[in-house]
Amino acid sequence: MRRAHGEKLQLCDSLEKIADALPGVDPLMCLSTANAILPLLRNIHQYEETIIFPAYEEAVVGSDANLASTRRLRAEHVEDECFAGEVTEILLAIGHGEPVENPEAIGFMLRGFFESMRRHIAFEREHVLPMIGIADAH
């Protein structure tokens, strides 16, 4: 989990660098980031949904913790992957030389995406991982 969170946070950092550099962003950085987003998220989400979330649900049975948390986290995975598709399209276009017509809108889109991923990670670190005995040293 620490590795998965680290990889997602590195992706967030790359997206933030791109957002900060708009409109004069490095096309190769856009291409490499775009090509990493969906495979990375899909692999991590599959791991969380098949290993981590079932362990969490088992750990919270009979406690005050709310099982609705994993339903919400699974829904966030779907939303993140949909959003990731849109972000990937934009980054591929920029990487292939399309002009950045509205840097403010693209920056806002990128920030919305990576901030939501950072919140998701923070929730998992604060609530899910401690319940299943994983100490996450940030």
Side-chain angles (χ1 to χ4, degrees):
M1 252 340 266
R2 281 187 286 278
R3 183 175 55 92
H5 282 166
E7 289 175 5
K8 283 173 78 173
L9 291 170
Q10 283 181 329
L11 174 63
C12 290
D13 291 345
S14 294
L15 292 167
E16 188 169 20
K17 286 178 186 166
I18 292 169
D20 289 346
L22 288 168
V25 66
D26 176 7
L28 290 178
M29 184 175 191
C30 289
L31 290 175
S32 65
T33 302
N35 288 320
I37 295 172
L38 281 169
L40 176 71
L41 288 183
R42 286 180 181 143
N43 288 337
I44 291 172
H45 291 167
Q46 180 185 15
Y47 173 73
E48 289 178 352
E49 291 177 14
T50 59
I51 305 296
I52 299 300
F53 295 169
Y56 173 77
E57 289 168 343
E58 186 175 317
V60 299
V61 170
S63 77
D64 292 336
N66 188 346
L67 290 177
S69 294
T70 53
R71 283 193 300 275
R72 181 179 57 81
L73 291 170
R74 282 184 174 95
E76 286 178 9
H77 286 174
V78 173
E79 292 169 10
D80 285 350
E81 288 182 29
C82 289
F83 203 172
E86 294 175 28
V87 168
T88 297
E89 285 182 37
I90 296 276
L91 294 179
L92 287 174
I94 295 169
H96 288 293
E98 293 289 323
V100 178
E101 299 289 333
N102 190 340
E104 294 82 16
I106 294 170
F108 188 77
M109 174 190 219
L110 295 177
R111 290 179 200 291
F113 180 62
F114 69 72
E115 287 301 330
S116 126
M117 283 201 307
R118 286 177 175 158
R119 279 191 300 274
H120 184 94
I121 292 167
F123 182 84
E124 288 176 343
R125 284 180 167 173
E126 293 169 10
H127 300 284
V128 175
L129 299 185
M131 290 296 292
I132 61 173
I134 298 177
D136 188 47
H138 312 311

